[in-house]
Short mmCIF file of all heavy atoms in Angstrom, two decimals:
data_model
loop_
_atom_site.label_atom_id
_atom_site.label_comp_id
_atom_site.label_asym_id
_atom_site.label_seq_id
_atom_site.Cartn_x
_atom_site.Cartn_y
_atom_site.Cartn_z
N GLU A 12 40.39 56.24 25.81
CA GLU A 12 40.05 55.65 24.52
C GLU A 12 38.55 55.55 24.28
O GLU A 12 38.00 55.84 23.22
CB GLU A 12 40.70 54.24 24.43
CG GLU A 12 42.21 54.28 24.30
CD GLU A 12 42.93 54.64 25.59
OE1 GLU A 12 42.29 54.55 26.66
OE2 GLU A 12 44.14 54.96 25.51
N GLU A 13 37.84 55.07 25.35
CA GLU A 13 36.41 54.91 25.23
C GLU A 13 35.70 56.28 25.10
O GLU A 13 34.76 56.45 24.34
CB GLU A 13 35.82 54.17 26.45
CG GLU A 13 34.35 53.99 26.45
CD GLU A 13 33.85 53.15 25.25
OE1 GLU A 13 34.67 52.35 24.71
OE2 GLU A 13 32.73 53.34 24.84
N LEU A 14 36.20 57.26 25.81
CA LEU A 14 35.64 58.63 25.74
C LEU A 14 35.81 59.14 24.34
O LEU A 14 34.87 59.68 23.76
CB LEU A 14 36.32 59.53 26.75
CG LEU A 14 35.70 60.90 27.01
CD1 LEU A 14 36.13 61.45 28.37
CD2 LEU A 14 36.12 61.93 25.94
N ALA A 15 37.01 59.01 23.78
CA ALA A 15 37.24 59.51 22.46
C ALA A 15 36.36 58.79 21.42
O ALA A 15 35.85 59.40 20.49
CB ALA A 15 38.73 59.34 22.06
N ALA A 16 36.25 57.46 21.59
CA ALA A 16 35.40 56.70 20.66
C ALA A 16 33.93 57.15 20.69
O ALA A 16 33.30 57.27 19.60
CB ALA A 16 35.52 55.20 20.98
N GLN A 17 33.43 57.38 21.86
CA GLN A 17 32.03 57.85 21.97
C GLN A 17 31.86 59.23 21.42
O GLN A 17 30.79 59.58 20.86
CB GLN A 17 31.56 57.80 23.41
CG GLN A 17 31.43 56.36 23.97
CD GLN A 17 30.78 56.34 25.30
OE1 GLN A 17 29.96 57.18 25.63
NE2 GLN A 17 31.06 55.32 26.12
N ALA A 18 32.87 60.07 21.56
CA ALA A 18 32.77 61.42 21.03
C ALA A 18 33.08 61.52 19.55
O ALA A 18 32.74 62.57 18.91
CB ALA A 18 33.75 62.34 21.80
N GLY A 19 33.64 60.48 18.98
CA GLY A 19 33.98 60.50 17.55
C GLY A 19 35.24 61.25 17.24
O GLY A 19 35.40 61.79 16.13
N TRP A 20 36.19 61.28 18.20
CA TRP A 20 37.45 61.97 18.00
C TRP A 20 38.62 60.98 18.19
O TRP A 20 38.40 59.87 18.73
CB TRP A 20 37.62 63.10 19.00
CG TRP A 20 36.73 64.28 18.74
CD1 TRP A 20 35.34 64.34 18.88
CD2 TRP A 20 37.10 65.60 18.33
NE1 TRP A 20 34.86 65.54 18.59
CE2 TRP A 20 35.93 66.40 18.25
CE3 TRP A 20 38.32 66.19 18.02
CZ2 TRP A 20 35.93 67.70 17.87
CZ3 TRP A 20 38.34 67.53 17.64
CH2 TRP A 20 37.14 68.27 17.56
N HIS A 21 39.80 61.41 17.80
CA HIS A 21 40.99 60.65 18.13
C HIS A 21 41.53 61.02 19.52
O HIS A 21 41.43 62.20 19.91
CB HIS A 21 42.09 60.88 17.08
CG HIS A 21 41.74 60.35 15.72
ND1 HIS A 21 41.64 59.00 15.47
CD2 HIS A 21 41.45 61.01 14.56
CE1 HIS A 21 41.34 58.85 14.20
NE2 HIS A 21 41.21 60.05 13.65
N VAL A 22 42.07 60.06 20.20
CA VAL A 22 42.63 60.30 21.54
C VAL A 22 43.65 61.41 21.52
O VAL A 22 43.64 62.31 22.36
CB VAL A 22 43.20 59.00 22.14
CG1 VAL A 22 43.86 59.27 23.49
CG2 VAL A 22 42.15 57.93 22.27
N ARG A 23 44.57 61.35 20.55
CA ARG A 23 45.66 62.31 20.51
C ARG A 23 45.08 63.74 20.21
O ARG A 23 45.58 64.73 20.79
CB ARG A 23 46.65 61.90 19.44
CG ARG A 23 47.86 62.89 19.37
CD ARG A 23 48.90 62.37 18.43
NE ARG A 23 49.49 61.13 18.91
CZ ARG A 23 50.44 60.44 18.29
NH1 ARG A 23 50.92 60.87 17.11
NH2 ARG A 23 50.90 59.31 18.79
N SER A 24 44.07 63.83 19.38
CA SER A 24 43.46 65.14 19.10
C SER A 24 42.87 65.76 20.35
O SER A 24 43.08 66.94 20.63
CB SER A 24 42.40 64.97 18.00
OG SER A 24 42.96 64.52 16.80
N LEU A 25 42.20 64.95 21.16
CA LEU A 25 41.59 65.47 22.37
C LEU A 25 42.66 65.83 23.37
O LEU A 25 42.54 66.83 24.11
CB LEU A 25 40.64 64.41 22.97
CG LEU A 25 39.39 64.08 22.16
CD1 LEU A 25 38.54 63.08 22.94
CD2 LEU A 25 38.60 65.36 21.88
N SER A 26 43.73 65.04 23.42
CA SER A 26 44.80 65.34 24.35
C SER A 26 45.52 66.63 23.99
O SER A 26 45.78 67.45 24.81
CB SER A 26 45.80 64.18 24.35
OG SER A 26 46.84 64.38 25.26
N ASN A 27 45.78 66.79 22.68
CA ASN A 27 46.46 68.00 22.26
C ASN A 27 45.59 69.26 22.46
O ASN A 27 46.09 70.35 22.71
CB ASN A 27 46.83 67.91 20.77
CG ASN A 27 47.92 66.86 20.54
OD1 ASN A 27 48.63 66.49 21.42
ND2 ASN A 27 47.98 66.37 19.31
N ALA A 28 44.26 69.06 22.36
CA ALA A 28 43.33 70.18 22.54
C ALA A 28 43.05 70.49 24.01
O ALA A 28 42.35 71.46 24.32
CB ALA A 28 42.05 69.94 21.83
N GLY A 29 43.61 69.67 24.90
CA GLY A 29 43.38 69.89 26.33
C GLY A 29 42.01 69.50 26.81
O GLY A 29 41.55 69.93 27.90
N ALA A 30 41.29 68.64 26.05
CA ALA A 30 39.92 68.29 26.44
C ALA A 30 39.89 67.49 27.74
O ALA A 30 39.02 67.72 28.59
CB ALA A 30 39.27 67.45 25.32
N TYR A 31 40.84 66.56 27.94
CA TYR A 31 40.86 65.77 29.12
C TYR A 31 41.09 66.62 30.41
O TYR A 31 40.74 66.19 31.48
CB TYR A 31 41.90 64.66 29.04
CG TYR A 31 41.61 63.63 27.93
CD1 TYR A 31 42.47 63.53 26.84
CD2 TYR A 31 40.46 62.86 27.96
CE1 TYR A 31 42.20 62.61 25.84
CE2 TYR A 31 40.19 61.93 26.92
CZ TYR A 31 41.07 61.81 25.89
OH TYR A 31 40.80 60.93 24.88
N ALA A 32 41.75 67.72 30.20
CA ALA A 32 42.05 68.57 31.38
C ALA A 32 40.75 69.16 32.01
O ALA A 32 40.83 69.66 33.15
CB ALA A 32 42.99 69.71 30.95
N GLN A 33 39.65 69.09 31.28
CA GLN A 33 38.39 69.58 31.83
C GLN A 33 37.79 68.63 32.86
O GLN A 33 36.86 68.97 33.57
CB GLN A 33 37.39 69.84 30.71
CG GLN A 33 37.84 70.80 29.65
CD GLN A 33 36.84 70.91 28.56
OE1 GLN A 33 35.68 71.11 28.78
NE2 GLN A 33 37.30 70.82 27.31
N LEU A 34 38.25 67.42 32.88
CA LEU A 34 37.74 66.35 33.71
C LEU A 34 38.61 66.11 34.94
O LEU A 34 39.78 66.43 34.97
CB LEU A 34 37.59 65.02 32.93
CG LEU A 34 36.78 65.13 31.61
CD1 LEU A 34 36.78 63.80 30.95
CD2 LEU A 34 35.38 65.58 31.91
N THR A 35 37.99 65.52 35.97
CA THR A 35 38.72 65.13 37.20
C THR A 35 39.12 63.71 37.11
O THR A 35 38.27 62.82 37.11
CB THR A 35 37.82 65.38 38.41
OG1 THR A 35 37.36 66.71 38.45
CG2 THR A 35 38.59 65.06 39.69
N PRO A 36 40.44 63.38 37.10
CA PRO A 36 40.82 61.97 37.09
C PRO A 36 40.39 61.31 38.41
O PRO A 36 40.54 61.87 39.48
CB PRO A 36 42.37 62.03 36.97
CG PRO A 36 42.66 63.43 36.48
CD PRO A 36 41.61 64.31 37.00
N VAL A 37 39.88 60.08 38.28
CA VAL A 37 39.48 59.34 39.51
C VAL A 37 40.43 58.21 39.74
O VAL A 37 40.37 57.55 40.84
CB VAL A 37 38.02 58.81 39.35
CG1 VAL A 37 37.05 59.99 39.28
CG2 VAL A 37 37.87 57.90 38.14
N ALA A 38 41.30 57.86 38.79
CA ALA A 38 42.24 56.78 39.00
C ALA A 38 43.36 56.89 38.00
O ALA A 38 43.17 57.38 36.86
CB ALA A 38 41.54 55.43 38.89
N GLY A 39 44.54 56.39 38.36
CA GLY A 39 45.66 56.33 37.46
C GLY A 39 46.30 57.64 37.19
O GLY A 39 46.24 58.57 37.98
N GLY A 40 46.94 57.71 36.02
CA GLY A 40 47.59 58.96 35.61
C GLY A 40 49.03 59.10 36.09
O GLY A 40 49.65 60.14 35.84
N ARG A 41 49.57 58.06 36.76
CA ARG A 41 50.96 58.17 37.22
C ARG A 41 51.78 57.00 36.62
O ARG A 41 51.24 55.89 36.42
CB ARG A 41 51.01 58.13 38.76
CG ARG A 41 50.43 59.32 39.44
CD ARG A 41 50.60 59.24 40.92
NE ARG A 41 49.95 58.13 41.51
CZ ARG A 41 49.99 57.83 42.81
NH1 ARG A 41 50.72 58.58 43.63
NH2 ARG A 41 49.34 56.78 43.25
N ARG A 42 53.03 57.27 36.41
CA ARG A 42 53.95 56.25 35.90
C ARG A 42 53.45 55.58 34.62
O ARG A 42 53.62 54.42 34.41
CB ARG A 42 54.28 55.19 36.96
CG ARG A 42 54.98 55.70 38.18
CD ARG A 42 55.34 54.56 39.11
NE ARG A 42 54.17 53.86 39.59
CZ ARG A 42 54.21 52.78 40.34
NH1 ARG A 42 55.39 52.25 40.68
NH2 ARG A 42 53.12 52.20 40.77
N GLY A 43 52.79 56.43 33.83
CA GLY A 43 52.30 55.90 32.51
C GLY A 43 51.11 54.98 32.64
O GLY A 43 50.72 54.33 31.66
N SER A 44 50.45 54.94 33.82
CA SER A 44 49.31 54.03 33.97
C SER A 44 48.07 54.64 33.29
O SER A 44 48.04 55.82 32.98
CB SER A 44 49.01 53.82 35.47
OG SER A 44 48.62 55.04 36.07
N LYS A 45 47.08 53.78 33.03
CA LYS A 45 45.85 54.25 32.43
C LYS A 45 45.17 55.28 33.37
O LYS A 45 45.14 55.08 34.57
CB LYS A 45 44.95 53.05 32.20
CG LYS A 45 43.61 53.36 31.56
CD LYS A 45 42.71 52.14 31.56
CE LYS A 45 43.18 51.13 30.57
NZ LYS A 45 42.99 51.51 29.18
N THR A 46 44.58 56.30 32.73
CA THR A 46 43.83 57.29 33.51
C THR A 46 42.32 57.06 33.30
O THR A 46 41.88 56.92 32.15
CB THR A 46 44.22 58.72 33.05
OG1 THR A 46 45.63 58.90 33.22
CG2 THR A 46 43.48 59.77 33.86
N LEU A 47 41.59 57.07 34.37
CA LEU A 47 40.16 56.94 34.31
C LEU A 47 39.52 58.24 34.82
O LEU A 47 40.04 58.92 35.71
CB LEU A 47 39.66 55.77 35.13
CG LEU A 47 40.18 54.38 34.79
CD1 LEU A 47 39.49 53.33 35.64
CD2 LEU A 47 39.95 54.08 33.31
N TYR A 48 38.36 58.56 34.22
CA TYR A 48 37.65 59.78 34.59
C TYR A 48 36.24 59.43 35.02
O TYR A 48 35.69 58.37 34.68
CB TYR A 48 37.57 60.76 33.39
CG TYR A 48 38.92 61.18 32.87
CD1 TYR A 48 39.49 60.47 31.79
CD2 TYR A 48 39.64 62.17 33.44
CE1 TYR A 48 40.73 60.82 31.32
CE2 TYR A 48 40.90 62.55 32.98
CZ TYR A 48 41.44 61.90 31.91
OH TYR A 48 42.70 62.23 31.43
N ASP A 49 35.63 60.33 35.79
CA ASP A 49 34.22 60.13 36.21
C ASP A 49 33.32 60.07 34.98
O ASP A 49 33.40 60.98 34.14
CB ASP A 49 33.81 61.27 37.17
CG ASP A 49 32.37 61.09 37.65
OD1 ASP A 49 32.17 60.28 38.57
OD2 ASP A 49 31.50 61.74 37.11
N LEU A 50 32.45 59.08 34.94
CA LEU A 50 31.61 58.90 33.75
C LEU A 50 30.63 60.00 33.54
O LEU A 50 30.40 60.45 32.37
CB LEU A 50 30.90 57.56 33.83
CG LEU A 50 30.00 57.16 32.66
CD1 LEU A 50 30.80 57.11 31.37
CD2 LEU A 50 29.33 55.80 32.90
N GLU A 51 30.01 60.50 34.62
CA GLU A 51 29.02 61.56 34.46
C GLU A 51 29.64 62.84 33.92
O GLU A 51 29.06 63.55 33.08
CB GLU A 51 28.34 61.85 35.79
CG GLU A 51 27.45 60.68 36.28
CD GLU A 51 26.39 60.28 35.24
OE1 GLU A 51 25.75 61.19 34.70
OE2 GLU A 51 26.26 59.09 34.97
N GLN A 52 30.84 63.19 34.40
CA GLN A 52 31.54 64.34 33.87
C GLN A 52 31.89 64.09 32.40
O GLN A 52 31.78 64.99 31.56
CB GLN A 52 32.84 64.60 34.66
CG GLN A 52 32.62 65.18 36.02
CD GLN A 52 33.98 65.66 36.61
OE1 GLN A 52 35.04 65.15 36.29
NE2 GLN A 52 33.90 66.63 37.50
N ALA A 53 32.33 62.87 32.10
CA ALA A 53 32.75 62.57 30.71
C ALA A 53 31.54 62.68 29.75
O ALA A 53 31.72 63.07 28.60
CB ALA A 53 33.33 61.15 30.68
N LYS A 54 30.36 62.33 30.21
CA LYS A 54 29.19 62.41 29.32
C LYS A 54 28.93 63.83 28.90
O LYS A 54 28.60 64.07 27.72
CB LYS A 54 27.95 61.86 30.06
CG LYS A 54 27.93 60.32 30.23
CD LYS A 54 26.69 59.89 30.99
CE LYS A 54 26.64 58.37 31.11
NZ LYS A 54 25.44 57.98 31.89
N ALA A 55 29.10 64.76 29.79
CA ALA A 55 28.90 66.21 29.42
C ALA A 55 29.96 66.64 28.43
O ALA A 55 29.65 67.34 27.43
CB ALA A 55 29.00 67.08 30.69
N LEU A 56 31.23 66.19 28.60
CA LEU A 56 32.29 66.53 27.67
C LEU A 56 31.98 65.90 26.31
O LEU A 56 32.19 66.54 25.24
CB LEU A 56 33.63 66.04 28.19
CG LEU A 56 34.81 66.25 27.27
CD1 LEU A 56 35.03 67.74 26.97
CD2 LEU A 56 36.09 65.67 27.91
N ILE A 57 31.52 64.66 26.31
CA ILE A 57 31.22 63.96 25.05
C ILE A 57 30.15 64.74 24.23
O ILE A 57 30.27 64.93 23.06
CB ILE A 57 30.78 62.54 25.32
CG1 ILE A 57 32.00 61.68 25.79
CG2 ILE A 57 30.17 61.89 24.09
CD1 ILE A 57 31.62 60.34 26.29
N ARG A 58 29.10 65.20 24.95
CA ARG A 58 28.04 65.96 24.29
C ARG A 58 28.64 67.23 23.66
O ARG A 58 28.27 67.64 22.55
CB ARG A 58 26.93 66.24 25.26
CG ARG A 58 26.09 65.04 25.60
CD ARG A 58 24.84 65.44 26.37
NE ARG A 58 25.13 65.90 27.71
CZ ARG A 58 25.17 65.09 28.81
NH1 ARG A 58 24.94 63.78 28.65
NH2 ARG A 58 25.43 65.57 29.99
#
Side-chain angles (χ1 to χ4, degrees):
E12 290 74 14
E13 179 61 26
L14 191 158
Q17 292 189 26
W20 290 69
H21 292 292
V22 175
R23 182 173 296 179
S24 298
L25 294 183
S26 181
N27 292 340
Y31 296 115
Q33 302 177 48
L34 305 178
T35 304
V37 296
R41 292 185 298 178
R42 294 186 299 175
S44 64
K45 180 188 290 288
T46 302
L47 300 184
Y48 302 95
D49 181 78
L50 181 58
E51 293 304 314
Q52 286 191 333
K54 287 179 179 178
L56 177 60
I57 289 171
R58 288 190 289 269

